[in-house]
């Protein structure tokens, strides 16, 4: 009998009981706005920021409304102005160029390698075109961060890290988000912690931190923060920094705090699943596994492989055959954007030269989400189905 997978690729785990209790407490007292605290009370949002700063080793942390908002705030804080060019990855998701467009700046796309990381030679070649790089650690793949920082430091390019897929990851032991001027995270349902929507920003720069707090809509209540610089820093910037309202609230913060405490355990669970899938996908003719560098500690919340130099029709056939057996694969090679998946040439508000070497990679990228609701057995079943269908289509190719 043909094996089928019947699990859901979009079902997350429930919110932990401790987080539900914390959320109920906030609902019961009714003080959901982050600055609505009683005398001496430390609000959930301020505590979340304090804890995430400690967890990442950052001096300052700000919680905001979304990951996209975090990136836009970071760009405003470092001084990106309308019309400025901002370097970013050709292989990423739509909120990344969207954040650049939201500050009326102009994305300049940098290519992708077969390791699915930013092409550092292309970055070096384009580094003189912009003052800022919005670096997306897309699908959790970290590039050689030492070389990236060398290139950017030498060219005077400020790095903002999009860590939507790397919360809990590290390069040579340095947590993702700690090398750029800002690290930006998303707490949206499909990321590593789940408050529905939400975002976090970290930085070590006191002036950038103060600007981000003001931008997020602190009014003059910034002294209620526990992971922000002192009032003397706000004195320098408060008259010149607009309020672009996008705060986190105490309800979401209360849900996030217990999840962040549990992040290491969840990362280990993701990686068991990832490694089971990866083992099952090795040695399939025509399929390239993405090898992870030794310097990288990753979070296997999704997995990618390449069907390099396959015809679009053959890739589509693999996807259709896997889908018929319950395995949902996403393809970055499609001409039309679908679901969460789009490509640099789909973002027509941001013109770009074609990048043939990147197009070859993008056309081959197959992507799969790895929810923690999958068991290790589920992962083995999924890998067997992919193996069978990739092999069948590969053999039938001319
Ligand atoms: C989800 C995501 C974002 C944006 O996060 P939101 O919280 O949804 O705004 C940014 N970059 C990448 C790569 C993402 O996947």
């Amino acid at each position: 009998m043909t094996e089928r997978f019947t699990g859901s690729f979009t079902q997350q785990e429930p919110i932990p009981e401790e987080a539900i209790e914390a959320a109920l407490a906030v609902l019961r007292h009714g003080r959901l706005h982050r600055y609505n605290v009683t005398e001496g009370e430390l609000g959930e949002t301020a505590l979340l920021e304090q804890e995430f700063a400690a967890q990442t080793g950052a001096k300052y942390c700000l919680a905001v409304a979304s990951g996209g908002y975090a990136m836009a705030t970071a760009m405003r804080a470092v001084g990106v102005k309308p019309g400025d060019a901002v370097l970013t990855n050709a292989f990423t998701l739509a909120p990344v160029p969207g954040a650049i467009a939201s500050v009326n700046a102009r994305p300049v796309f940098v290519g992708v390698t077969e390791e699915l990381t930013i092409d550092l030679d292309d970055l070096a070649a384009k580094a003189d075109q912009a003052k800022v790089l919005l670096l997306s650690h897309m699908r959790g793949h970290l590039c050689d961060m030492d070389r990236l920082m060398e290139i950017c430091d030498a060219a005077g390019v400020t790095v903002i890290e999009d860590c939507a897929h790397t919360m809990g990851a590290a390069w040579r032991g340095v947590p993702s988000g700690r090398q750029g001027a800002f690290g930006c995270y998303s707490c949206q349902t499909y990321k590593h912690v789940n408050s529905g929507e939400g975002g976090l920003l970290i930085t070590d720069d006191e002036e950038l931190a103060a600007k981000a707090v003001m931008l997020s809509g602190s009014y003059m209540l910034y002294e209620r923060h526990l992971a922000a610089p002192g009032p003397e820093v706000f004195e320098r910037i408060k008259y010149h920094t607009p309020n672009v309202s996008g705060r986190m609230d105490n309800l979401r913060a209360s849900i996030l705090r217990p999840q962040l405490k549990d992040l290491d355990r969840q990362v280990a669970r993701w990686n068991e699943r990832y490694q089971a899938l990866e083992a099952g996908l090795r040695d399939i003719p025509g399929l390239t596994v993405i090898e992870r560098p030794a310097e990288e500690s990753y979070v296997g919340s999704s997995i990618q492989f390449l069907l390099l130099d396959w015809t679009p029709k053959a890739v589509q056939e693999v996807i259709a055959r896997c889908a018929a057996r319950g395995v949902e694969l996403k393809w970055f090679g499609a001409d039309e954007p679908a679901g969460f998946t789009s490509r640099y040439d789909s973002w027509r508000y941001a013109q770009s030269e074609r990048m043939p070497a990147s197009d070859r990679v993008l056309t081959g990228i197959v992507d799969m989400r790895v929810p923690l609701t999958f068991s290790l057995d589920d992962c083995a079943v999924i890998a067997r189905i992919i193996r069978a269908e990739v092999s069948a289509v590969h053999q039938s190719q001319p």
Side-chain angles (χ1 to χ4, degrees):
M1 215 187 69
T2 314
E3 195 169 33
R4 270 189 63 88
F5 180 65
T6 54
S8 164
F9 280 79
T10 51
Q11 182 59 54
Q12 308 302 317
E13 292 191 298
I15 298 300
E17 281 307 317
E18 188 189 348
I20 294 174
E21 288 303 321
L24 287 174
V26 172
L27 290 172
R28 291 202 169 101
H29 67 53
R31 293 184 298 279
L32 274 70
H33 191 285
R34 67 167 298 163
Y35 299 120
N36 183 201
V37 286
T38 57
E39 187 70 33
E41 182 187 14
L42 304 176
E44 291 283 339
T45 310
L47 288 166
L48 167 70
E49 290 163 345
Q50 189 178 48
E51 289 162 4
F52 193 63
Q55 194 165 349
T56 52
K59 278 196 189 147
Y60 309 111
C61 175
L62 173 70
V64 294
S66 74
Y69 181 86
M71 295 186 286
T73 302
M75 282 185 282
R76 285 195 176 94
V78 303
V80 173
K81 295 280 179 295
D84 284 358
V86 175
L87 295 158
T88 195
N89 306 58
F91 174 49
T92 186
L93 291 180
V96 179
I100 297 170
S102 81
V103 296
N104 290 312
R106 183 169 50 84
V108 173
F109 295 109
V110 182
V112 59
T113 65
E114 287 178 37
E115 289 71 46
L116 304 193
T117 53
I118 193 164
D119 180 339
L120 294 176
D121 295 331
D122 195 30
L123 176 65
K126 291 174 177 165
D128 62 349
Q129 293 183 31
K131 292 256 172 304
V132 173
L133 164 66
L134 179 56
L135 171 66
S136 184
H137 301 302
M138 176 62 173
R139 288 297 185 252
H141 295 276
L142 292 173
C143 69
D144 179 342
M145 285 300 293
D146 305 311
R147 186 162 165 233
L148 178 126
M149 291 309 297
E150 260 172 47
I151 293 169
C152 291
D153 288 345
V157 170
T158 300
V159 179
I160 296 169
E161 295 181 68
D162 164 22
C163 306
H165 305 162
T166 53
M167 179 187 274
W171 180 261
R172 281 190 210 285
V174 180
S176 184
R178 293 287 293 128
Q179 273 156 298
F182 276 110
C184 307
Y185 306 79
S186 169
C187 311
Q188 190 236 78
T189 296
Y190 299 113
K191 312 299 163 83
H192 298 173
V193 290
N194 173 12
S195 58
E197 303 287 354
L200 290 159
L201 268 170
I202 57 169
T203 183
D204 278 352
D205 184 298
E206 61 178 24
E207 197 154 310
L208 292 181
K211 283 183 180 166
V213 169
M214 289 297 294
L215 283 162
S216 75
S218 67
Y219 303 92
M220 297 300 155
L221 302 170
Y222 43 78
E223 289 188 56
R224 295 184 194 171
H225 284 246
L226 298 170
E232 68 290 354
V233 183
F234 286 90
E235 285 304 321
R236 301 205 296 264
I237 58 99
K238 69 181 186 185
Y239 300 108
H240 307 284
T241 310
N243 175 330
V244 187
S245 202
R247 291 171 302 271
M248 166 72 68
D249 59 86
N250 286 334
L251 182 58
R252 289 178 200 183
S254 71
I255 296 173
L256 290 170
R257 291 178 60 211
Q259 294 182 57
L260 280 172
K261 263 197 297 187
D262 204 27
L263 184 63
D264 288 348
R265 191 182 67 89
Q266 298 293 68
V267 168
R269 294 177 62 221
W270 259 307
N271 288 352
E272 283 179 343
R273 285 157 181 76
Y274 181 95
Q275 281 147 22
L277 284 160
E278 184 187 59
L281 294 178
R282 286 202 180 280
D283 306 316
I284 303 176
L287 182 150
T288 309
V289 167
I290 313 294
E291 301 298 346
R292 313 295 303 235
E295 296 90 339
E296 180 195 39
S297 317
Y298 58 86
V299 184
S301 54
S302 69
I303 190 164
Q304 294 71 41
F305 57 84
L306 290 173
L307 299 179
L308 215 45
D309 302 324
W310 287 44
T311 63
K313 193 165 157 283
V315 178
Q316 276 164 320
E317 197 180 331
V318 168
I319 303 222
R321 292 172 70 132
C322 287
R325 295 177 67 179
V327 174
E328 266 181 51
L329 302 175
K330 305 283 184 236
W331 181 40
F332 277 86
D335 287 332
E336 275 302 308
F340 286 105
T341 314
S342 58
R343 214 170 51 186
Y344 73 94
D345 55 336
S346 329
W347 307 319
R348 291 185 200 163
Y349 56 85
Q351 291 307 314
S352 173
E353 302 279 302
R354 294 237 58 107
M355 290 178 270
S358 295
D359 290 345
R360 171 172 174 259
V361 174
L362 285 167
T363 305
I365 299 176
V366 181
D367 174 46
M368 195 185 95
R369 204 172 258 153
V370 184
L372 287 173
T373 48
F374 285 0
S375 67
L376 295 180
D377 280 346
D378 289 340
C379 295
V381 171
I382 291 166
R384 279 200 297 274
I385 291 173
I386 295 173
R387 173 180 295 276
E389 299 305 336
V390 167
S391 302
V393 177
H394 188 66
Q395 276 160 20
S396 72
Q397 283 206 92

